[in-house]
Amino acid sequence: MKSFAVTVIATAALVAPLAWAQPKPSLLADKSALVADLMRQMTLEEKVGQLRLISIGPEMPAPQLAEEIAAGRVGGTFNSINHKEQRPLQEAAVGKSRLRIPVLFAYDVLHGHRTSFPIGLGLASTWDMDAVRLTARTAAVEAAADGVDVTFAPTVDISRDPRWGRTSEGFGEDPHLVSQVARAMVQGFQNGARRGEVLQRDSIMASVKHFALYGAVEGGRDYNIVDMSPMRMYNDYLPPYKAAIDAGSGGVMIALNTVNGQPATSNTWLLQDLLRKDWGFKGVTFSDHGAITELMRHGVARDEREAAKLAITAGVDMSMADQVYLKELPGLVKSGQVPMKTLDNAVREVLGTKYDLGLFHDPFLRIGKAEDDPADLKADSRLHRPPARDVARRSLVLLENRNRTLPIAKGASVALVGPLADAPIDMIGVWSAQAVWKQAVTLRSGMEQALAGKGKMLYARGANVSEDKAVVEYLNFLNWDEPEVVQDKRSPQEMIDEAVAAAGQADVVVAAVGESRGMSHESSSRTRLDLPESQQALLKALKATGKPLVIVLMNGRPLTLGWEQANADAMLETWFAGTEGGHAIADVLFGDANPSGKLPLSLPRSVGQIPTYYNYPRLGRPFTPGKPGNYTSQYFDEPQGALYPFGYGLSYTEFEVSKPVLSASTVKAGGTVEASVTVKNTGDRAGETVVQLYIQDVAASVVRPVKELKGFRKLMLQPGETQVVKFAIGNEQLSFYNQQLQRVSEPGGFNVQIGLNSRDVQEASFELLP
Ligand code: NOJ
């Protein structure tokens, strides 16, 4: 992808107005000496204070939080991004608290900060790790300028059940792809700094979440239990967390769910044996919001004292929005129920993290100047619009394009309809940090700008996102301080009539349909994944006009799109594309950009078919296409397999991929075989595509998946151009965790499959020798 300069906004004051005493140079130069020196001086209560992450809220107004900090009872705060809020808190810490230990500022920076980039699923759909890294880098620059030290991101929970609303936040269903994205995000946030290195002023510390397995909540219902075999855990769900940690993520946020019968928050195996011992993680762990108190509701702690004891013993360093550490830890330590060493371990991580954040060098490092007007931070000039537009273009997945309906000629007259056509709030998705929704380009405005002076555009809303009162109430409840969900008061039929009339005057209809952003969020689990009825009725009426129908989907999870697939002339999945979404989508609709996004998860045919992931384990009685019959694993009332497979996405040009050629038909253990294919752009315009490498272990000591993604390459080809793509296949690609949870590659046959999606592949085979 193109490289973009990320503007570093110099807001941090080098010399803070408050005179604060920097630690002695000899200590400042030596992290462990500084931490040890502080710990020698700390009282028990001050140690406990360092473990508390508290935000300003109705129960903790800002002045009270400042008092708590001055009293040494708080180690960090979250959700304070305004330097007018932050400065007094940091002044209380370094000006008033006995030991002058700075507080850290944390925030959820997931897909951009002031500039909103596409949501997680959109980022993953780019299959472009430079693009992904750039979004995190840009977010870090913007967030650091807002005083943020730590982000609770990336969210790398593998999700195979789109009923789960947080599917939107993660990067899909595949361990390899999600791991690559996880790594790129951490590198971007931290600007390449490893854990334990001091971060630059314009970088923020990543804190990978939700450790672990949060995406596997039963039934896709948020906060539900998770129960899974160890092999599945190791092979499929844990790799992305590990990848983020290997990339240097300074922090880890602990999941709300159970792992093997024990809440993650009290799970010593997870937080000690796996995370710290096996993976060698040395950094800070954060509980999720109120999770320590929730140990009582889980039924593993009788009371707050036991909850605090379980959490600190398991290895929860900082407690988020919880009072139980404050109330209970001093007593637990005094009575000997929690060894001082356990407490010290947690405090050491928190102080070490503050050192790595550069806060002992300058506690005001990332906090804006006292005289800065916070409103200026919202100025459009601070946004990074060009990379947002570029990445958003790359995130769009073309699902259908019959008769080359797209791109639309700019001279055409276009009817734009649908409840998401002019919905700036939805465009930025949830977890939109400090993005200002009024700065988001809607599809309506993007298309108007693209057509200016060239074609004609008619607009009609056509439908509300939903007419279901309960849904609208839920969305308003979620909409925090934003305006209420816009509900057009006209009757559904009136709105449809208007849209149909617009369609009648147009050459082509573009229908922007899908979900409101709140429908794909924390706690927003759905039992149905089709478009709400109001929108289905709109689409059917538009179809009946006979005009070419282009469906532009905006949604935060896979939807079931049977009717849409059968009836759309073209269909573009845009997820929630961010601040520049409207421009990017218009670029693709009118052919100024050629779509290259690929699905990071399978789109199911129906809710009943879930889970529909492509890399499922092999079966004794698999369904065999073309050989229907009884007693195979199938649903008899529906075609098998995903409606759109993992890795799928069309382009305005066509590509041909040759059969894979292998460098050898046998390879010794530890050796490497090279697979190569020739890819040709056989169409008439330049375009990018993603060549995907899948491996199948023919016979192993345990049941292995039908195929697994093990590599991919995104390439740009001019019309007629060919390129040879090579993949090295060695131990890394062939090994897996066996029943003893040892990582092994086993001698025997392997099938190498290469294609432009997970379903349509060509195969070659080789033998791994002992
Ligand atoms: C709860 C969410 O589960 C977590 O992802 C988030 O970081 C915290 N709230 C803080 O906002």
Side-chain angles (χ1 to χ4, degrees):
M1 68 167 292
K2 244 190 356 195
S3 60
F4 291 93
V6 181
T7 327
V8 177
I9 300 158
T11 55
L14 276 178
V15 184
L18 177 94
W20 53 277
Q22 220 185 24
K24 279 191 281 190
S26 58
L27 290 176
L28 211 47
D30 182 342
K31 173 165 141 184
S32 45
L34 172 64
V35 170
D37 182 65
L38 281 171
M39 288 185 59
R40 256 194 309 276
Q41 302 174 58
M42 289 168 93
T43 63
L44 174 57
E45 284 70 21
E46 282 166 338
K47 286 181 180 175
V48 171
Q50 283 303 307
L51 308 188
R52 295 182 68 226
L53 194 63
I54 302 290
S55 69
I56 295 174
E59 283 152 35
M60 184 65 79
Q64 195 184 329
L65 182 56
E67 277 169 32
E68 288 285 290
I69 291 172
R73 279 199 293 267
V74 175
T77 173
F78 64 110
N79 290 350
S80 279
I81 40 77
N82 179 337
H83 71 83
K84 291 255 190 264
E85 261 177 20
Q86 293 163 342
R87 184 164 285 277
L89 300 181
Q90 195 62 297
E91 286 179 352
V94 300
K96 296 191 185 147
S97 76
R98 192 177 73 89
L99 292 173
R100 309 288 195 246
I101 300 173
V103 282
L104 62 79
F105 294 93
Y107 193 48
D108 291 289
V109 179
L110 276 87
H111 56 100
H113 180 68
R114 294 272 172 193
T115 312
S116 190
F117 286 93
I119 60 164
L121 283 184
L123 295 181
S125 296
T126 66
W127 292 57
D128 181 336
M129 296 311 122
D130 290 338
V132 169
R133 200 175 295 106
L134 177 72
T135 69
R137 180 78 205 104
T138 310
V141 166
E142 292 181 356
D146 262 355
V148 175
D149 299 310
V150 175
T151 173
F152 300 131
T155 305
V156 306
D157 307 311
I158 294 275
S159 152
R160 292 168 169 178
D161 191 331
R163 287 175 292 181
W164 191 51
R166 300 191 86 168
T167 300
S168 58
E169 214 179 298
F171 308 117
E173 72 186 21
D174 180 68
H176 181 73
L177 180 61
V178 180
S179 297
Q180 300 298 311
V181 179
R183 192 171 63 176
M185 294 292 290
V186 170
Q187 290 169 341
F189 286 135
Q190 301 188 171
N191 203 14
R194 314 279 314 164
R195 194 167 40 258
E197 289 173 6
V198 178
L199 288 187
Q200 294 155 345
R201 178 204 287 183
D202 65 354
S203 303
I204 59 177
M205 185 178 277
S207 185
V208 61
K209 67 190 186 187
H210 302 81
F211 191 63
L213 322 181
Y214 185 29
V217 284
E218 223 170 72
R221 183 156 48 76
D222 206 5
Y223 319 125
N224 203 358
I225 68 143
V226 171
D227 199 355
M228 102 172 34
S229 76
M231 264 202 321
R232 171 164 284 190
M233 211 188 275
Y234 273 72
N235 284 311
D236 298 350
Y237 280 80
L238 291 176
Y241 306 106
K242 174 86 165 37
I245 287 164
D246 289 347
S249 180
V252 169
M253 184 188 284
I254 301 156
L256 293 163
N257 52 273
T258 49
V259 172
N260 205 13
Q262 184 67 237
T265 308
S266 54
N267 199 317
T268 306
W269 171 79
L270 185 72
L271 302 181
Q272 298 292 346
D273 299 343
L274 182 69
L275 180 66
R276 297 213 183 256
K277 293 195 191 110
D278 290 359
W279 291 2
F281 175 74
K282 290 190 179 65
V284 66
T285 58
F286 300 100
S287 84
D288 203 339
H289 203 281
I292 304 180
T293 307
E294 287 173 19
L295 292 177
M296 293 184 290
R297 299 213 202 102
H298 277 292
V300 295
R302 275 181 300 267
D303 51 25
E304 293 192 338
R305 176 157 285 216
E306 196 175 13
K309 182 179 168 193
L310 287 173
I312 192 80
T313 308
V316 180
D317 298 333
M318 288 197 95
S319 77
M320 189 197 296
D322 231 314
Q323 301 300 324
V324 294
Y325 269 7
L326 177 74
K327 283 202 243 160
E328 303 297 345
L329 279 184
L332 283 164
V333 173
K334 279 183 204 148
S335 66
Q337 290 177 75
V338 168
M340 182 63 97
K341 193 165 159 268
T342 304
L343 178 67
D344 282 351
N345 286 342
V347 177
R348 202 173 294 115
E349 295 301 357
V350 175
L351 296 178
T353 295
K354 291 181 179 181
Y355 184 93
D356 296 344
L357 290 167
L359 296 178
F360 285 111
H361 292 76
D362 181 357
F364 297 91
L365 187 66
R366 297 183 183 83
I367 299 180
K369 290 187 203 131
E371 63 275 19
D372 282 351
D373 181 351
D376 287 351
L377 295 169
K378 300 196 169 163
D380 207 86
S381 58
R382 289 191 180 262
L383 299 184
H384 292 88
R385 287 188 180 273
R389 182 168 181 165
D390 186 66
V391 176
R393 284 169 159 197
R394 287 162 197 281
S395 71
L396 309 179
V397 187
L398 183 62
L399 297 174
E400 292 294 338
N401 195 15
R402 298 190 171 101
N403 307 317
R404 292 193 169 209
T405 303
L406 290 179
I408 302 168
K410 280 197 185 147
S413 78
V414 186
L416 173 66
V417 301
L420 290 149
D422 201 17
I425 298 192
D426 296 308
M427 198 55 114
I428 60 175
V430 292
W431 298 114
S432 49
Q434 288 298 299
V436 177
W437 60 267
K438 284 187 182 147
Q439 290 172 335
V441 181
T442 65
L443 181 55
R444 183 181 183 185
S445 126
M447 285 175 67
E448 268 164 9
Q449 290 174 49
L451 280 180
K454 290 179 207 105
K456 189 169 147 210
M457 200 177 97
L458 300 131
Y459 166 76
R461 183 173 163 90
N464 286 318
V465 168
S466 172
E467 292 290 346
D468 184 324
K469 271 206 181 112
V471 171
V472 176
E473 243 166 59
Y474 175 77
L475 294 175
N476 278 330
F477 160 74
L478 267 191
N479 227 13
W480 310 285
D481 44 357
E482 307 293 10
E484 292 212 329
V485 169
V486 182
Q487 209 54 12
D488 197 311
K489 298 283 181 295
R490 287 175 295 168
S491 77
Q493 194 53 51
E494 235 177 300
M495 280 190 271
I496 288 179
D497 290 346
E498 188 192 33
V500 166
Q505 296 172 52
D507 302 321
V508 58
V509 182
V510 174
V513 292
E515 297 182 299
S516 292
R517 65 177 189 155
M519 290 167 79
S520 280
H521 187 41
E522 182 179 344
S523 92
S524 303
S525 312
R526 293 183 65 188
T527 59
R528 291 178 51 179
L529 296 177
D530 46 3
L531 288 173
E533 274 143 25
S534 55
Q535 300 186 63
Q536 288 185 35
L538 170 66
L539 289 182
K540 285 181 181 148
L542 293 170
K543 177 73 186 170
T545 65
K547 294 291 168 80
L549 177 61
V550 177
I551 297 184
V552 172
L553 295 161
M554 298 185 193
N555 48 291
R557 50 152 67 83
L559 299 177
T560 52
L561 299 166
W563 186 91
E564 292 76 6
Q565 184 213 30
N567 291 284
D569 294 284
M571 185 151 67
L572 187 69
E573 176 58 82
T574 72
W575 311 114
F576 294 119
T579 305
E580 280 289 305
H583 280 144
I585 301 169
D587 288 341
V588 163
L589 293 180
F590 293 116
D592 295 322
N594 189 352
S596 62
K598 299 276 188 176
L599 292 175
L601 30 58
S602 315
L603 302 194
R605 291 174 191 276
S606 61
V607 172
Q609 192 198 39
I610 292 168
T612 317
Y613 58 100
Y614 83 97
N615 45 351
Y616 55 89
R618 285 167 68 187
L619 304 176
R621 295 183 175 191
F623 172 79
T624 316
K627 285 193 191 160
N630 291 332
Y631 306 112
T632 67
S633 186
Q634 62 169 320
Y635 295 107
F636 70 80
D637 54 357
E638 192 173 75
Q640 313 305 306
L643 188 65
Y644 294 103
F646 173 81
Y648 174 89
L650 303 173
S651 162
Y652 291 156
T653 187
E654 279 91 47
F655 300 97
E656 243 174 48
V657 186
S658 69
K659 202 169 164 3
V661 177
L662 301 180
S663 59
S665 55
T666 60
V667 61
K668 284 212 186 108
T672 304
V673 60
E674 192 178 77
S676 57
V677 289
T678 305
V679 189
K680 181 171 187 189
N681 180 347
T682 56
D684 51 13
R685 61 173 290 173
E688 285 183 295
T689 191
V690 181
V691 185
Q692 303 162 32
L693 166 78
Y694 296 89
I695 305 254
Q696 183 190 48
D697 194 337
V698 177
S701 61
V702 292
V703 173
R704 301 286 299 128
V706 286
K707 63 179 72 181
E708 291 176 293
L709 181 75
K710 290 294 176 184
F712 59 87
R713 203 73 43 77
K714 189 158 189 174
L715 45 137
M716 161 65 94
L717 292 175
Q718 298 302 318
E721 189 185 347
T722 59
Q723 206 170 306
V724 176
V725 176
K726 294 181 175 170
F727 294 100
I729 303 169
N731 197 48
E732 172 70 24
Q733 288 71 31
L734 303 178
S735 56
F736 62 95
Y737 289 95
N738 66 12
Q739 217 151 21
Q740 288 71 43
L741 302 180
Q742 297 150 336
R743 194 161 174 101
V744 292
S745 48
E746 297 177 344
F750 287 89
N751 293 327
V752 176
Q753 306 177 340
I754 299 183
L756 302 182
N757 68 62
S758 62
R759 188 173 54 200
D760 307 310
V761 290
Q762 299 185 79
E763 195 169 90
S765 306
F766 73 93
E767 183 92 8
L768 180 68
L769 303 173

Coordinates of all heavy atoms in Angstrom, one line a residue, residues 103-159:
V103 N 0.4 8.5 37.7 CA -0.7 7.6 37.3 C -0.6 7.4 35.8 O 0.0 8.2 35.1 CB -2.1 8.2 37.6 CG1 -2.5 8.0 39.1 CG2 -2.3 9.6 37.1
L104 N -1.1 6.2 35.4 CA -1.1 6.0 33.9 C -2.6 6.2 33.4 O -3.5 6.0 34.2 CB -0.6 4.6 33.6 CG -1.3 3.3 34.1 CD1 -2.5 3.0 33.3 CD2 -0.3 2.2 34.0
F105 N -2.7 6.6 32.2 CA -4.0 6.8 31.6 C -4.3 5.8 30.5 O -3.5 5.7 29.6 CB -4.0 8.2 31.0 CG -3.9 9.3 32.0 CD1 -2.7 9.9 32.3 CD2 -5.1 9.8 32.6 CE1 -2.6 10.9 33.3 CE2 -5.0 10.8 33.6 CZ -3.8 11.3 33.9
A106 N -5.4 5.1 30.7 CA -5.7 4.0 29.7 C -7.0 4.3 29.0 O -7.8 5.1 29.5 CB -5.8 2.7 30.5
Y107 N -7.2 3.7 27.9 CA -8.4 4.0 27.1 C -8.6 2.9 26.0 O -7.6 2.3 25.6 CB -8.2 5.4 26.4 CG -9.5 6.0 25.8 CD1 -10.7 6.0 26.5 CD2 -9.5 6.5 24.5 CE1 -11.8 6.6 26.0 CE2 -10.6 7.1 23.9 CZ -11.8 7.1 24.7 OH -12.9 7.7 24.1
D108 N -9.8 2.8 25.6 CA -10.1 1.8 24.5 C -9.8 2.4 23.2 O -10.7 3.1 22.6 CB -11.5 1.3 24.6 CG -11.8 0.4 25.8 OD1 -11.3 -0.7 25.8 OD2 -12.5 0.9 26.7
V109 N -8.6 2.2 22.6 CA -8.3 2.7 21.3 C -8.2 1.5 20.4 O -7.3 0.8 20.4 CB -7.0 3.5 21.3 CG1 -6.7 4.0 19.9 CG2 -7.0 4.7 22.3
L110 N -9.3 1.3 19.6 CA -9.3 0.0 18.9 C -9.1 0.1 17.4 O -8.3 -0.6 16.8 CB -10.7 -0.7 19.2 CG -10.7 -1.5 20.4 CD1 -11.0 -0.7 21.6 CD2 -11.5 -2.7 20.4
H111 N -9.9 1.0 16.8 CA -9.7 1.1 15.3 C -9.6 2.6 15.0 O -10.5 3.2 14.2 CB -10.9 0.4 14.5 CG -12.2 0.9 14.9 ND1 -12.9 1.8 14.1 CD2 -13.0 0.6 16.0 CE1 -14.1 2.0 14.7 NE2 -14.2 1.3 15.8
G112 N -8.7 3.2 15.5 CA -8.5 4.7 15.4 C -8.8 5.4 16.7 O -9.4 4.8 17.6
H113 N -8.4 6.6 16.7 CA -8.7 7.4 17.9 C -9.6 8.6 17.6 O -10.8 8.6 17.8 CB -7.4 7.8 18.6 CG -7.6 8.6 19.8 ND1 -8.1 8.1 21.0 CD2 -7.4 9.9 20.1 CE1 -8.2 9.0 21.9 NE2 -7.8 10.2 21.4
R114 N -9.0 9.7 17.0 CA -9.8 10.8 16.5 C -10.3 10.4 15.1 O -11.4 10.6 14.7 CB -8.9 12.1 16.4 CG -8.5 12.6 17.8 CD -9.6 13.5 18.4 NE -9.3 13.8 19.7 CZ -10.1 14.4 20.6 NH1 -11.3 14.7 20.2 NH2 -9.8 14.7 21.8
T115 N -9.4 9.9 14.3 CA -9.7 9.4 12.9 C -10.2 8.0 13.1 O -9.5 7.1 13.7 CB -8.5 9.4 12.0 OG1 -7.8 10.6 12.1 CG2 -8.9 9.1 10.6
S116 N -11.4 7.7 12.7 CA -11.9 6.3 12.8 C -11.5 5.5 11.5 O -11.8 6.0 10.4 CB -13.4 6.3 13.0 OG -13.8 5.1 13.3
F117 N -10.8 4.4 11.7 CA -10.5 3.5 10.6 C -11.6 2.4 10.6 O -12.5 2.4 11.6 CB -9.2 2.9 10.9 CG -8.0 3.8 10.6 CD1 -7.5 4.6 11.6 CD2 -7.6 4.0 9.3 CE1 -6.4 5.5 11.3 CE2 -6.5 4.9 9.0 CZ -6.0 5.6 10.0
P118 N -11.7 1.6 9.6 CA -12.7 0.5 9.6 C -12.6 -0.3 10.9 O -11.5 -0.4 11.5 CB -12.3 -0.3 8.4 CG -11.5 0.6 7.5 CD -10.8 1.5 8.4
I119 N -13.7 -0.9 11.3 CA -13.8 -1.7 12.5 C -12.9 -2.9 12.3 O -12.5 -3.2 11.2 CB -15.2 -2.2 12.9 CG1 -15.8 -2.9 11.7 CG2 -16.1 -1.0 13.3 CD1 -17.1 -3.7 12.1
G120 N -12.7 -3.7 13.4 CA -11.8 -4.8 13.3 C -12.0 -5.7 12.1 O -11.0 -6.1 11.4
L121 N -13.2 -6.1 11.8 CA -13.5 -7.0 10.7 C -13.1 -6.3 9.4 O -12.6 -7.0 8.5 CB -15.0 -7.4 10.6 CG -15.5 -8.4 11.6 CD1 -17.0 -8.7 11.4 CD2 -14.7 -9.7 11.6
G122 N -13.2 -5.0 9.3 CA -12.8 -4.3 8.1 C -11.3 -4.3 8.0 O -10.7 -4.6 6.9
L123 N -10.6 -4.1 9.1 CA -9.1 -4.1 9.1 C -8.6 -5.5 8.6 O -7.8 -5.6 7.8 CB -8.6 -3.8 10.4 CG -8.8 -2.3 11.0 CD1 -8.2 -2.1 12.3 CD2 -8.3 -1.3 10.0
A124 N -9.3 -6.5 9.2 CA -8.8 -7.9 8.8 C -9.1 -8.1 7.3 O -8.4 -8.9 6.7 CB -9.5 -8.9 9.7
S125 N -10.2 -7.6 6.8 CA -10.6 -7.8 5.4 C -9.6 -7.3 4.4 O -9.6 -7.6 3.3 CB -12.0 -7.2 5.1 OG -13.0 -7.8 5.9
T126 N -8.7 -6.4 4.9 CA -7.7 -5.8 4.0 C -6.6 -6.9 3.7 O -6.0 -6.8 2.6 CB -6.9 -4.6 4.6 OG1 -6.2 -5.1 5.7 CG2 -7.9 -3.5 5.0
W127 N -6.4 -7.8 4.6 CA -5.3 -8.8 4.4 C -4.0 -8.1 4.1 O -3.2 -8.6 3.3 CB -5.6 -9.9 3.4 CG -6.8 -10.8 3.8 CD1 -8.0 -10.4 4.1 CD2 -6.7 -12.2 3.8 NE1 -8.8 -11.6 4.4 CE2 -8.0 -12.7 4.2 CE3 -5.7 -13.2 3.6 CZ2 -8.3 -14.0 4.4 CZ3 -6.0 -14.5 3.8 CH2 -7.3 -14.9 4.2
D128 N -3.9 -6.9 4.6 CA -2.7 -6.0 4.3 C -2.1 -5.5 5.6 O -2.7 -4.6 6.2 CB -3.2 -4.9 3.4 CG -2.1 -3.9 3.0 OD1 -1.1 -3.9 3.6 OD2 -2.3 -3.3 1.9
M129 N -1.1 -6.2 6.0 CA -0.6 -5.9 7.3 C 0.1 -4.5 7.4 O 0.2 -3.9 8.5 CB 0.4 -7.0 7.8 CG -0.3 -8.4 7.9 SD -1.9 -8.2 8.9 CE -3.1 -8.8 7.7
D130 N 0.6 -4.0 6.3 CA 1.1 -2.6 6.3 C 0.0 -1.7 6.6 O 0.2 -0.7 7.4 CB 1.8 -2.3 5.0 CG 3.1 -3.0 4.8 OD1 3.7 -3.5 5.8 OD2 3.5 -3.2 3.6
A131 N -1.1 -1.9 6.0 CA -2.3 -1.0 6.2 C -2.7 -1.1 7.7 O -3.0 -0.1 8.3 CB -3.4 -1.4 5.3
V132 N -2.8 -2.3 8.2 CA -3.2 -2.5 9.6 C -2.3 -1.8 10.5 O -2.7 -1.1 11.4 CB -3.3 -4.1 9.9 CG1 -3.5 -4.3 11.4 CG2 -4.4 -4.7 9.1
R133 N -1.0 -2.0 10.3 CA 0.0 -1.4 11.2 C -0.1 0.1 11.1 O 0.0 0.8 12.2 CB 1.4 -1.8 10.7 CG 2.5 -1.7 11.7 CD 3.8 -2.2 11.3 NE 3.8 -3.7 11.1 CZ 3.8 -4.3 9.9 NH1 3.8 -3.5 8.8 NH2 3.8 -5.6 9.8
L134 N -0.4 0.6 10.0 CA -0.5 2.1 9.8 C -1.7 2.6 10.6 O -1.6 3.7 11.2 CB -0.6 2.5 8.3 CG -0.8 4.0 8.1 CD1 0.4 4.7 8.4 CD2 -1.3 4.2 6.7
T135 N -2.8 1.9 10.6 CA -4.0 2.3 11.4 C -3.6 2.4 12.9 O -4.0 3.4 13.5 CB -5.2 1.4 11.2 OG1 -5.0 0.2 11.8 CG2 -5.5 1.3 9.7
A136 N -2.9 1.4 13.4 CA -2.6 1.4 14.8 C -1.6 2.5 15.1 O -1.6 3.2 16.1 CB -2.1 0.0 15.2
R137 N -0.7 2.7 14.2 CA 0.3 3.8 14.4 C -0.3 5.1 14.4 O 0.0 6.0 15.3 CB 1.3 3.7 13.2 CG 2.4 4.7 13.2 CD 3.5 4.3 14.2 NE 4.3 5.5 14.6 CZ 4.1 6.0 15.8 NH1 3.3 5.5 16.7 NH2 4.8 7.1 16.1
T138 N -1.2 5.3 13.5 CA -1.9 6.6 13.4 C -2.8 6.8 14.7 O -2.8 7.9 15.3 CB -2.9 6.7 12.2 OG1 -2.1 6.3 11.1 CG2 -3.4 8.0 11.9
A139 N -3.5 5.8 15.1 CA -4.3 5.8 16.3 C -3.4 6.2 17.5 O -3.8 7.0 18.4 CB -5.0 4.5 16.5
A140 N -2.2 5.6 17.5 CA -1.3 5.8 18.7 C -0.9 7.3 18.7 O -0.9 7.9 19.8 CB -0.1 4.9 18.6
V141 N -0.6 7.8 17.6 CA -0.1 9.2 17.5 C -1.3 10.1 18.0 O -1.0 11.0 18.8 CB 0.3 9.6 16.0 CG1 0.4 11.1 15.9 CG2 1.6 8.9 15.7
E142 N -2.5 9.8 17.5 CA -3.6 10.7 17.9 C -3.9 10.5 19.4 O -4.2 11.5 20.1 CB -4.8 10.4 17.1 CG -4.7 10.8 15.6 CD -5.9 10.5 14.8 OE1 -6.9 9.9 15.3 OE2 -5.9 10.8 13.6
A143 N -3.9 9.3 19.9 CA -4.2 9.0 21.3 C -3.2 9.6 22.2 O -3.5 10.1 23.3 CB -4.4 7.5 21.5
A144 N -1.9 9.4 21.8 CA -0.8 9.9 22.7 C -1.0 11.4 22.8 O -0.7 12.0 23.9 CB 0.5 9.5 22.1
A145 N -1.4 12.1 21.7 CA -1.6 13.5 21.8 C -2.7 13.9 22.7 O -2.9 15.0 23.1 CB -1.8 14.1 20.4
D146 N -3.6 12.9 23.0 CA -4.7 13.1 23.9 C -4.4 12.6 25.3 O -5.3 12.4 26.1 CB -5.9 12.3 23.4 CG -6.9 13.2 22.6 OD1 -6.6 14.5 22.6 OD2 -7.9 12.7 22.1
G147 N -3.1 12.3 25.6 CA -2.7 11.9 26.9 C -2.9 10.4 27.2 O -2.7 10.0 28.4
V148 N -3.2 9.6 26.2 CA -3.4 8.2 26.5 C -2.0 7.5 26.5 O -1.2 7.7 25.7 CB -4.3 7.6 25.4 CG1 -4.4 6.1 25.5 CG2 -5.7 8.2 25.3
D149 N -1.8 6.7 27.6 CA -0.6 5.9 27.7 C -0.8 4.5 27.2 O 0.1 3.8 26.7 CB -0.1 5.9 29.2 CG 0.2 7.3 29.7 OD1 0.9 8.0 29.1 OD2 -0.4 7.6 30.8
V150 N -2.0 3.9 27.5 CA -2.2 2.5 27.3 C -3.5 2.3 26.6 O -4.5 2.9 27.0 CB -2.3 1.7 28.7 CG1 -2.7 0.3 28.5 CG2 -1.0 1.9 29.5
T151 N -3.5 1.5 25.6 CA -4.8 1.1 25.0 C -5.2 -0.3 25.4 O -4.3 -1.2 25.4 CB -4.8 1.2 23.5 OG1 -6.1 0.7 23.0 CG2 -3.7 0.5 22.8
F152 N -6.5 -0.5 25.6 CA -7.0 -1.9 25.8 C -7.3 -2.5 24.4 O -8.4 -2.6 24.0 CB -8.3 -1.9 26.6 CG -8.1 -1.3 28.0 CD1 -9.0 -0.3 28.4 CD2 -7.1 -1.7 28.8 CE1 -8.9 0.3 29.7 CE2 -6.9 -1.1 30.1 CZ -7.8 -0.1 30.5
A153 N -6.2 -2.9 23.7 CA -6.4 -3.4 22.4 C -5.0 -4.0 22.0 O -4.0 -3.7 22.6 CB -6.7 -2.2 21.4
P154 N -4.9 -4.8 21.0 CA -6.0 -5.2 20.1 C -6.9 -6.3 20.7 O -6.4 -7.1 21.6 CB -5.2 -5.8 18.9 CG -3.9 -6.3 19.5 CD -3.6 -5.4 20.6
T155 N -8.1 -6.4 20.2 CA -9.0 -7.5 20.5 C -8.8 -8.6 19.5 O -9.1 -8.5 18.3 CB -10.5 -7.0 20.4 OG1 -10.7 -5.8 21.1 CG2 -11.5 -8.1 20.8
V156 N -8.2 -9.7 20.0 CA -7.8 -10.8 19.1 C -8.6 -12.1 19.3 O -8.1 -13.1 19.0 CB -6.3 -11.0 19.2 CG1 -5.6 -9.7 18.9 CG2 -5.9 -11.6 20.5
D157 N -9.8 -11.9 19.9 CA -10.6 -13.1 20.2 C -11.1 -13.7 18.9 O -11.9 -13.1 18.1 CB -11.8 -12.7 21.1 CG -11.4 -12.0 22.3 OD1 -10.4 -12.4 23.0 OD2 -11.9 -10.9 22.6
I158 N -10.7 -15.0 18.6 CA -11.2 -15.7 17.5 C -12.7 -15.9 17.6 O -13.2 -16.2 18.7 CB -10.6 -17.1 17.4 CG1 -9.1 -17.0 17.2 CG2 -11.3 -18.0 16.4 CD1 -8.7 -16.9 15.8
S159 N -13.5 -15.6 16.6 CA -14.9 -15.7 16.7 C -15.5 -16.5 15.6 O -15.3 -16.2 14.4 CB -15.5 -14.3 16.8 OG -16.8 -14.3 16.3

